[in-house]
Amino acid sequence: MKRNLFSFLALVLAGVVGGSGGSYAEVTEPVARDKYITMTVTALMKREHISKRSIDEEMSQRTLDNMLKMLDPQKVYFYQSDVDALRAQQSRLGEMFRSGEIKIAYVIFKTFLARVDERVATIQELLHMPVDFTVEEELVTDRDLLTYPKNSAEARERLRKRVKYELLLLQMDEMRDEKAAEKKTSPEAATDSNATTTTEVTPNAKEEPEKTPEEKHQEGIEKLAKRYSGFAKRMHQMDNDDLLEMYLTAMTTGFDPHTSYMAPRTLENFDIAMRLELEGIGASLTSEDGYVVVKRLVPGGAAEKEGSLKVDDKISGVGQDTEGPMEDVVDMKLDDVVKKIRGKRGTVVRLEVIPNDGGPKKIVQITRSKIELKDSEAKGEIFEAGKKADGTPYKIGVINLPSFYMDMQAARIGFGEYKSTTRDVRRILENFLQNGVDAVILDLRTNGGGSLPESINLTGLFIDSGVVVQVKDAYGKVSPYDDTEAGALWKGPLVVVINKLSASASEILAGAIQDYKRGLIVGDATTHGKGTVQTLIDIGNVLLQANSSLKLGALKVTMQQFYRPLGDSTQNRGVESDIEIPAITTYMDIGEADLDFAMPFDKIAPQPIQSTNLVNDAIVTQLREKSQQRIAQSEDFQKLIKKINFYRQQKDRKSVTLHAERFLSERADMLDEEEENLEKQELQGANEIERDFYLDEVINITLDYIGALAK
């Protein structure tokens, strides 16, 4: 009987009984497996989450608030009456979750789709009406001050202002593009003796006639029309799996910001990011105006080697094997197109391509291969700077680490040479030692974390041995995790660079380095402040009590909290830098403390550790003063500080002017951005190391640090 029950359950979960569990073209109705997944996630939250809370009245309100915020962050789609009707059912959400009843999610989403269609139709009307940019009026941008529109007239007025605001933003983008183009074609740019490349200026070249303000305005209208119609299409392309993921995550993030349900597609992408490899053609794709557009080719990937596919080409069709039918993918959901292009190595995929250079449509045939995402792995480079007593330059080794990655699947099955952050950084450090570097800079900016074991093992490359992190579970039990391998691979001067986007595993390493007084922490005022530990629980395995091949997604749940060796949590507060370097990220609301329902900061007992005494207050004070003096004299940093001050002023405002002259004059300084630099950052890999003025200051701090240690 028990065997038959599990067999039936397997069929239901696979979608054979009670509805299809495959890929949906759109949201339909709940299927049987959604019920089992919902019940399982709900039970796991009560049992496994560090808070041990159930879905009570407060959690029910958080769930509904989160769902509405996900769908309608600026309160332009739902009516107040829609929200009131949903609030009437709020008290029953806990009971619904426990019984696996999710029809309310479908009510919410289908109401949202109806309102999207209404609003997009209104926007298309508004875009073809005259716009007066001389009127003194403002758009409220603070969500907390906004209410949902009570009727269609109020919704229309809010949309009118929003359209006007977005047209002004497009005007600013146009002005920035023009300024960047002037820089590229100016004689000064062409003859700059310090430039690594030159821009050829040809006065006789045919120039396109300058667009009139009316033409620019019309282009903006067409762009917004496509943007909103594209948004409506994407919303209608959401399927049952997407909606289940959104709804369950609306509930789980009411417990804390980092607990979420991952649908099978999301889990697959998460695994790819952790093991830094996939099988496919090696191209980064995005969706623009209904087309899938190539944004980047992975170096060494199948597409780059084949050579026909170029950046900004549009993909209009996908065919399997050498003779399979070509399927039209225009207006298809991006995830679905990516799934068709991915496949096992050695198989063939054919792409119908519209070249960006205006050439005729063509068919590109590519044999899929194993793609290693090398632009996301650790990368090292050696720079020369300053002078030693003998006149030779110092050698500074810089390591850029975008994430703490590990091929968890290969590690679980005991595969010896699985992808590992620590192994990659070890190889870089060994190369640095062979080349006689004088100091190491470990750049963790924008490193959002990853594998906890990798953060511990990597810290062990810089300390002799001892506790790296302490972990406390939901029952208050504290477990220290040590670097058990005696000896450090790199014993010389170490500088760790952080910003407000350095989170989780990055903060474990930075906190340990600071507690051991092993090196300097420089960068933003603090790191992100994520001091919690999540684990993945496979839903299929829980339901069938065995290793299951059924792909039902996973719950990423917060089960523990981590603490530094000396007892401070990094939660909310983060790791404070020893020397702050100006950056706009310091002032952005992107830290843990800015997130809804974040766990509080606390402390536990310190562990006995052996300090290296390579950093002390006197050294930090001395180096900080020298850095501040250089920054005060740096033209680049003073420009940056001016932009930071502007950003802070704008951030504190609750509304924005819609008067064109005032709007653009307030943002005049922002037009000095070098657009070509932004484009270059988008096209290069996440691990590229560029010696800009910021890195130069980090290197200068490192040189001062070498000198201070020598004394």
Side-chain angles (χ1 to χ4, degrees):
M1 178 67 181
K2 188 174 182 181
R3 182 177 179 182
N4 291 336
L5 175 63
F6 278 121
S7 298
F8 175 76
L9 182 59
L11 289 173
V12 171
L13 295 172
V16 177
V17 177
S20 170
S23 178
Y24 293 85
E26 59 182 16
V27 167
T28 55
E29 294 295 333
V31 295
R33 71 176 196 159
D34 295 344
K35 175 179 180 178
Y36 290 102
I37 292 172
T38 300
M39 291 171 65
T40 303
V41 168
T42 304
L44 287 171
M45 288 299 297
K46 174 75 181 294
R47 190 177 76 209
E48 303 293 347
H49 192 269
I50 191 170
S51 68
K52 298 298 180 186
R53 290 188 65 168
S54 59
I55 304 176
D56 54 18
E57 182 65 30
E58 182 182 353
M59 287 298 175
S60 296
Q61 180 178 336
R62 290 182 183 184
T63 298
L64 187 53
D65 288 344
N66 285 342
M67 187 74 172
L68 294 172
K69 194 171 184 179
M70 288 175 182
L71 291 170
D72 190 8
Q74 289 301 315
K75 300 181 181 177
V76 295
Y77 293 107
F78 287 110
Y79 286 122
Q80 184 63 53
S81 57
D82 297 329
V83 176
D84 291 341
L86 294 170
R87 293 281 183 213
Q89 301 186 62
Q90 180 177 291
S91 61
R92 294 185 54 242
L93 287 182
E95 177 189 336
M96 291 179 186
F97 277 114
R98 285 185 287 274
S99 65
E101 174 59 67
I102 61 166
K103 284 184 179 178
I104 189 172
Y106 286 75
V107 172
I108 295 171
F109 189 70
K110 288 183 178 181
T111 302
F112 172 69
L113 286 184
R115 300 298 177 237
V116 166
D117 291 342
E118 290 175 18
R119 302 294 181 264
V120 170
T122 301
I123 286 169
Q124 300 298 349
E125 289 178 25
L126 291 169
L127 285 171
H128 291 89
M129 296 177 66
V131 183
D132 187 351
F133 289 107
T134 64
V135 176
E136 292 282 358
E137 59 181 349
E138 295 197 338
L139 174 73
V140 176
T141 53
D142 188 328
R143 189 179 194 275
D144 293 336
L145 298 179
L146 291 169
T147 58
Y148 292 98
K150 296 180 180 63
N151 50 50
S152 59
E154 195 173 317
R156 184 183 183 89
E157 176 62 10
R158 187 170 298 177
L159 289 173
R160 182 190 68 78
K161 289 186 175 182
R162 179 150 291 279
V163 165
K164 190 174 179 181
Y165 172 63
E166 293 188 21
L167 286 171
L168 286 169
L169 289 176
L170 290 175
Q171 281 189 41
M172 193 174 77
D173 289 343
E174 180 78 21
M175 292 170 67
R176 184 184 291 120
D177 290 343
E178 289 173 357
K179 199 156 190 176
E182 287 174 9
K183 287 183 179 181
K184 285 182 179 179
T185 57
S186 67
E188 290 82 3
T191 58
D192 184 359
S193 60
N194 295 320
T196 55
T197 59
T198 59
T199 303
E200 184 177 353
V201 180
T202 53
N204 297 325
K206 184 179 179 181
E207 295 182 1
E208 291 186 13
E210 186 177 347
K211 297 170 188 171
T212 65
E214 292 76 17
E215 289 173 331
K216 293 176 183 177
H217 180 67
Q218 186 58 37
E219 281 188 357
I221 287 173
E222 292 171 1
K223 187 175 286 188
L224 279 187
K226 288 180 180 178
R227 180 183 297 173
Y228 277 100
S229 62
F231 170 73
K233 281 179 185 175
R234 290 194 301 276
M235 293 301 100
H236 278 280
Q237 288 173 343
M238 281 186 61
D239 61 23
N240 287 23
D241 282 353
D242 295 327
L243 181 55
L244 183 64
E245 179 176 82
M246 179 183 289
Y247 185 55
L248 291 181
T249 297
M251 180 265 285
T252 59
T253 51
F255 287 73
D256 83 282
H258 306 291
T259 297
S260 63
Y261 166 69
M262 294 183 181
R265 276 193 302 263
T266 305
L267 181 60
E268 180 185 1
N269 290 332
F270 177 82
D271 287 340
I272 288 170
M274 289 304 291
R275 67 176 182 263
L276 295 190
E277 68 175 38
L278 59 92
E279 293 182 354
I281 66 170
S284 297
L285 308 174
T286 189
S287 181
E288 295 178 8
D289 301 331
Y291 285 96
V292 172
V293 181
V294 179
K295 295 310 293 181
R296 187 170 174 274
L297 298 177
V298 177
E304 186 193 54
K305 289 178 179 177
E306 194 279 334
S308 300
L309 198 64
K310 305 297 181 185
V311 171
D312 291 331
D313 282 354
K314 296 176 180 177
I315 298 173
S316 57
V318 178
Q320 304 301 328
D321 304 317
T322 56
E323 297 180 355
M326 187 65 66
E327 184 177 0
D328 184 11
V329 296
V330 177
D331 286 333
M332 187 179 286
K333 188 174 161 186
L334 180 61
D335 281 350
D336 291 338
V337 180
V338 169
K339 191 173 182 180
K340 294 178 186 299
I341 294 174
R342 279 182 190 165
K344 292 184 179 179
R345 71 182 82 175
T347 61
V348 171
V349 63
R350 294 175 3 265
L351 307 177
E352 184 180 69
V353 176
I354 302 172
N356 181 56
D357 61 11
K361 189 180 290 188
K362 61 185 180 181
I363 302 295
V364 176
Q365 182 172 302
I366 302 174
T367 301
R368 299 178 178 104
S369 64
K370 178 181 175 181
I371 310 298
E372 293 187 356
L373 306 179
K374 295 210 174 272
D375 58 344
S376 295
E377 68 184 20
K379 183 175 182 180
E381 197 165 333
I382 298 174
F383 295 99
E384 293 186 346
K387 283 188 178 181
K388 300 179 183 179
D390 62 3
T392 60
Y394 287 97
K395 290 183 178 181
I396 309 297
V398 178
I399 301 172
N400 187 7
L401 186 62
S403 69
F404 287 82
Y405 48 87
M406 180 178 73
D407 188 340
M408 295 181 179
Q409 185 176 4
R412 279 196 297 268
I413 64 176
F415 182 69
E417 290 302 314
Y418 60 85
K419 195 66 181 173
S420 160
T421 305
T422 307
R423 286 188 179 135
D424 289 347
V425 173
R426 180 184 291 276
R427 282 191 288 268
I428 293 170
L429 289 174
E430 287 170 348
N431 175 262
F432 284 176
L433 288 167
Q434 290 172 6
N435 284 277
V437 300
D438 299 287
V440 168
I441 295 171
L442 179 61
D443 193 343
L444 299 180
R445 284 177 293 171
T446 319
N447 183 322
S451 167
L452 176 63
E454 288 296 333
S455 67
I456 297 168
N457 295 336
L458 184 58
T459 304
L461 299 180
F462 302 104
I463 65 172
D464 185 1
S465 63
V467 176
V468 173
V469 63
Q470 303 184 70
V471 177
K472 183 176 74 172
D473 65 19
Y475 302 99
K477 180 184 177 183
V478 176
S479 302
Y481 288 81
D482 291 24
D483 162 41
T484 56
E485 186 175 335
L489 179 59
W490 174 254
K491 300 177 182 178
L494 173 67
V495 174
V496 178
V497 192
I498 55 94
N499 67 6
K500 208 171 182 179
L501 291 166
S502 305
S504 192
S506 294
E507 297 172 289
I508 290 175
L509 185 146
I513 294 299
Q514 196 169 61
D515 280 3
Y516 277 86
K517 299 187 182 300
R518 172 62 187 85
L520 287 172
I521 310 298
V522 307
D524 287 7
T526 67
T527 55
H528 182 82
K530 180 183 177 294
T532 53
V533 184
Q534 288 74 40
T535 190
L536 280 179
I537 303 177
D538 188 281
I539 302 299
N541 290 348
V542 173
L543 276 166
L544 297 180
Q545 302 177 4
N547 290 326
S548 169
S549 61
L550 285 176
K551 295 182 178 179
L552 302 177
L555 177 65
K556 178 166 70 75
V557 58
T558 299
M559 300 179 71
Q560 299 168 317
Q561 192 164 339
F562 62 72
Y563 298 80
R564 292 165 57 158
L566 294 182
D568 275 9
S569 171
T570 58
Q571 179 62 20
N572 272 338
R573 293 188 185 180
V575 178
E576 294 183 2
S577 61
D578 297 309
I579 301 171
E580 184 178 346
I581 302 175
I584 200 165
T585 42
T586 286
Y587 303 96
M588 294 173 72
D589 294 335
I590 53 175
E592 181 82 3
D594 302 310
L595 300 176
D596 293 333
F597 317 125
M599 306 278 295
F601 169 87
D602 67 339
K603 300 176 69 169
I604 59 174
Q607 290 285 329
I609 61 172
Q610 184 65 46
S611 173
T612 64
N613 294 317
L614 290 172
V615 176
N616 57 47
D617 291 343
I619 286 178
V620 169
T621 300
Q622 176 190 346
L623 301 189
R624 186 184 295 139
E625 289 174 355
K626 287 185 176 182
S627 177
Q628 289 172 347
Q629 290 170 7
R630 280 191 300 269
I631 288 169
Q633 296 168 5
S634 165
E635 184 178 339
D636 288 318
F637 271 111
Q638 291 311 303
K639 284 182 180 178
L640 175 60
I641 290 170
K642 191 174 181 181
K643 290 171 185 173
I644 290 171
N645 291 335
F646 172 80
Y647 171 79
R648 294 176 69 185
Q649 292 170 4
Q650 294 300 311
K651 186 169 78 77
D652 293 337
R653 294 177 60 172
K654 306 298 183 182
S655 61
V656 61
T657 180
L658 298 179
H659 185 283
E661 188 176 339
R662 283 176 53 203
F663 181 92
L664 296 172
S665 65
E666 286 177 358
R667 290 159 175 76
D669 291 334
M670 303 303 286
L671 299 177
D672 291 331
E673 296 282 0
E674 296 183 20
E675 195 72 16
E676 60 268 29
N677 286 348
L678 297 177
E679 292 173 2
K680 184 169 63 175
Q681 289 171 17
E682 289 176 2
L683 292 175
Q684 69 187 15
N687 63 355
E688 289 299 314
I689 301 173
E690 182 183 2
R691 189 166 175 181
D692 56 8
F693 69 93
Y694 189 100
L695 183 56
D696 275 342
E697 178 54 28
V698 176
I699 290 174
N700 284 330
I701 291 171
T702 305
L703 293 174
D704 290 342
Y705 184 38
I706 294 172
L709 290 176
K711 294 177 182 178

